[in-house]
């Protein structure tokens, strides 16, 4: 165990240490494996070398803050402790390239499958990436983590995340609440991911100052998205014109991701998916990355993988059945009075009942009321 002594000069001990040394006790509580003892104008630190270095950095920052503002509160200590944690995470990220991000509670966020790692690598190499695959493969979660990392590394100035709002059985106009309350349920998975990755106060601040913007796809029209990490989720539910509109918003310093699942298209039956069309149109364009996820990348409950595989098997069988189904015989349209059709009585109304249709005339009541 190493020991270090810091001498406080030109400092009011009561204002710096806090009532009953509460500021130092709060600092000591954040490093339970070490000892921080305050005696007079000296602070003695005992612990491992790396821990002592971090405590020394925080105390130096607090001293600088005191000389600038004249006081230290417990809230000030909390802010500098939080800042120190982020600095430590940044150093760990630099030393561990496979780690994407540290979550709000300190958990490590990184690729868990080979295809998830391919997605991370594709985003590093390309400014536009399409991530495709079934539910549960981590497309949204990994994409949001990459966006937060880019923001923390100051590679972008803001994060913009969007989803198409596709009505499922109910019209938005009949749902309760204002427009934000109507569309927020569609964007809930995005909020959940961000809340896992950012402290609550910082996430709230980012939303208020528009550093992070979460909005329906329709809100992207007419904008130029620059110096931003832009994510379009659930892209299989875009129309061709919507997806073209989104892709053409891309500014010169933007990083764009488009996520989708071909098997979960919620558009009307006759409406073509913009994602399916875009994959065909853009497949040979240089500088665009395409990453295909499979059921093997599912990281949810083990049953999700089996469900996805069962549906894939069912879809393959349906395609085979349709391919083997004999074509319907062609039957030309025949006009009334045309060849092969009985001649119509020109004096008879087309809706009139035939006399030999087995129906009898109903009796008529001639009584006067």
């Amino acid at each position: 165990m190493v020991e270090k002594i810091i001498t406080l000069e030109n400092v009011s001990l009561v204002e710096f240490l806090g009532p009953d040394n509460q500021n130092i006790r709060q600092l000591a509580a954040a490093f339970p494996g070490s000892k921080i003892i305050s005696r007079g104008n000296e602070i003695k630190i005992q612990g491992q070398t790396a821990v002592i270095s971090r405590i020394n950095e925080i105390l130096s920052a607090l001293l600088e803050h005191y000389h600038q503002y004249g006081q230290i509160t417990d809230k000030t200590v909390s802010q500098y402790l939080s800042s120190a944690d982020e600095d430590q995470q940044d150093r760990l990220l630099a030393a561990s390239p496979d780690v994407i991000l540290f979550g709000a509670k300190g958990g490590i966020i990184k690729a868990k499958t080979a295809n998830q790692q391919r997605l991370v690598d594709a985003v590093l190499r390309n400014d536009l990436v399409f991530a495709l695959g079934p539910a549960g493969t981590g497309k949204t979660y990994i994409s949001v983590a990459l966006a937060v990392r880019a923001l923390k590394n100051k590679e972008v100035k803001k994060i913009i995340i969007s989803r198409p709002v596709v009505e499922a059985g109910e019209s938005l106009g009949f749902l309760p609440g204002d427009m934000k309350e109507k569309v927020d349920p569609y964007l809930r998975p995005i909020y959940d991911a961000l809340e896992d990755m950012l402290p609550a106060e910082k996430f709230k601040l980012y939303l208020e100052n528009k550093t992070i913007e979460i909005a329906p796809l329709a809100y992207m029209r007419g904008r130029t998205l620059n110096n931003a990490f832009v994510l379009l989720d659930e892209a299989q539910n875009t129309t061709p014109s919507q997806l073209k509109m989104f892709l053409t918003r891309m500014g010169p310093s933007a990083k764009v991701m488009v996520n989708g699942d071909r098997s979960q298209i919620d558009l009307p039956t006759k409406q073509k998916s913009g994602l399916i069309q875009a994959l065909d149109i853009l497949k040979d364009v240089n500088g665009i990355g395409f990453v295909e996820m499979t059921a093997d990348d599912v990281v949810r409950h083990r049953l999700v993988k089996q469900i996805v595989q069962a549906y894939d098997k069912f879809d393959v069988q349906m395609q085979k059945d349709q391919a083997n189904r004999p074509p319907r015989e062609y039957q030309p349209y025949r006009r009334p009075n045309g060849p092969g059709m009985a001649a119509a009585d020109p004096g008879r109304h087309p809706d009139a009942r035939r006399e030999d249709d087995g129906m009898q005339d109903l009796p008529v009541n001639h009584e006067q009321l």
Side-chain angles (χ1 to χ4, degrees):
M1 183 174 286
V2 182
E3 182 177 289
K4 181 179 178 63
I5 296 176
I6 299 173
T7 302
L8 303 177
E9 298 178 352
N10 302 320
V11 170
S12 169
L13 297 180
V14 174
E15 292 178 347
F16 183 79
L17 301 177
D20 196 23
N21 290 346
Q22 67 175 13
N23 295 339
I24 293 302
R25 287 192 287 107
Q26 183 179 354
L27 183 60
F31 298 93
S34 63
K35 290 184 178 181
I36 304 177
I37 304 169
S38 173
R39 290 179 179 173
N41 67 337
E42 291 184 348
I43 297 177
K44 182 186 294 185
I45 310 170
Q46 296 177 340
Q48 300 297 324
T49 303
V51 176
I52 288 179
S53 177
R54 291 185 64 197
I55 295 174
N56 185 51
E57 289 177 2
I58 296 171
L59 282 172
S60 298
L62 288 170
L63 281 168
E64 185 177 343
H65 181 98
Y66 170 81
H67 288 304
Q68 183 174 357
Y69 299 102
Q71 66 175 353
I72 297 292
T73 66
D74 57 345
K75 187 175 181 180
T76 307
V77 178
S78 296
Q79 290 174 342
Y80 278 95
L81 284 171
S82 176
S83 177
D85 287 341
E86 290 187 4
D87 292 341
Q88 176 71 3
Q89 289 179 3
D90 291 341
R91 287 192 287 269
L92 289 172
L93 284 174
S96 307
D98 58 328
V99 176
I100 301 173
L101 191 70
F102 286 89
K105 297 181 180 179
I108 294 176
I109 299 173
K110 63 180 182 179
K112 295 183 178 180
T113 69
N115 281 331
Q116 286 187 359
Q117 187 59 52
R118 285 184 58 225
L119 179 58
V120 174
D121 296 338
V123 173
L124 294 177
R125 293 193 307 266
N126 303 281
D127 288 334
L128 173 59
V129 174
F130 286 81
L132 312 165
T137 52
K139 302 185 301 296
T140 299
Y141 200 79
I142 293 294
S143 300
V144 173
L146 290 169
V148 173
R149 184 176 74 172
L151 182 64
K152 291 188 65 173
N153 292 343
K154 297 181 172 56
E155 298 169 11
V156 297
K157 293 183 178 179
K158 65 187 308 182
I159 296 173
I160 301 173
I161 304 178
S162 184
R163 270 188 169 194
V165 176
V166 177
E167 299 168 0
E170 291 188 63
S171 172
L172 284 178
F174 290 95
L175 295 177
D178 58 20
M179 182 53 67
K180 183 179 184 303
E181 292 171 331
K182 292 176 190 291
V183 302
D184 268 0
Y186 293 88
L187 305 171
R188 188 68 250 173
I190 304 297
Y191 285 99
D192 290 342
L194 287 167
E195 287 169 357
D196 278 353
M197 300 171 194
L198 292 168
E201 292 184 2
K202 180 164 286 188
F203 181 35
K204 182 180 178 181
L205 176 63
Y206 282 160
L207 290 176
E208 289 174 351
N209 63 19
K210 300 294 185 182
T211 299
I212 294 180
E213 185 178 349
I214 306 172
L217 178 59
Y219 286 36
M220 300 297 107
R221 189 174 298 278
R223 301 177 59 181
T224 299
L225 308 176
N226 199 23
N227 292 318
F229 194 109
V230 188
L231 168 63
L232 175 61
D233 205 33
E234 301 290 343
Q236 75 275 3
N237 289 326
T238 62
T239 64
S241 61
Q242 284 176 329
L243 189 52
K244 180 182 177 182
M245 176 274 292
F246 173 81
L247 293 175
T248 54
R249 302 303 95 202
M250 186 176 179
S253 299
K255 181 80 73 172
V256 177
M257 289 191 68
V258 179
N259 295 347
D261 179 0
R262 297 185 186 91
S263 67
Q264 292 192 1
I265 298 175
D266 297 321
L267 294 169
T269 305
K270 295 183 180 180
Q271 177 66 64
K272 185 176 181 63
S273 169
L275 176 64
I276 304 301
Q277 184 189 74
L279 294 175
D280 189 43
I281 294 173
L282 303 176
K283 61 184 178 182
D284 296 324
V285 177
N286 292 328
I288 300 179
F290 298 90
V291 178
E292 189 81 41
M293 318 288 275
T294 69
D296 293 333
D297 299 301
V298 172
V299 291
R300 292 179 182 169
H301 193 283
R302 61 178 179 80
L303 285 176
V304 176
K305 179 185 293 188
Q306 297 178 33
I307 291 169
V308 171
Q309 291 172 337
Y311 270 94
D312 287 344
K313 183 178 179 180
F314 174 78
D315 290 340
V316 170
Q317 187 60 47
M318 285 287 291
Q319 292 175 2
K320 289 182 178 179
D321 292 344
Q322 290 178 357
N324 296 330
R325 185 178 299 168
R328 295 178 61 184
E329 294 184 4
Y330 172 71
Q331 296 182 355
Y333 171 73
R334 296 177 177 177
R335 298 191 318 271
N337 296 331
M341 298 292 290
D345 182 358
R348 185 180 181 85
H349 191 278
D351 293 334
R353 178 168 50 85
R354 291 180 176 272
E355 295 178 358
D356 58 349
D357 61 1
M359 297 289 290
Q360 297 181 354
D361 291 335
L362 294 175
V364 179
N365 185 357
H366 296 288
E367 294 183 3
Q368 299 292 328
L369 296 177

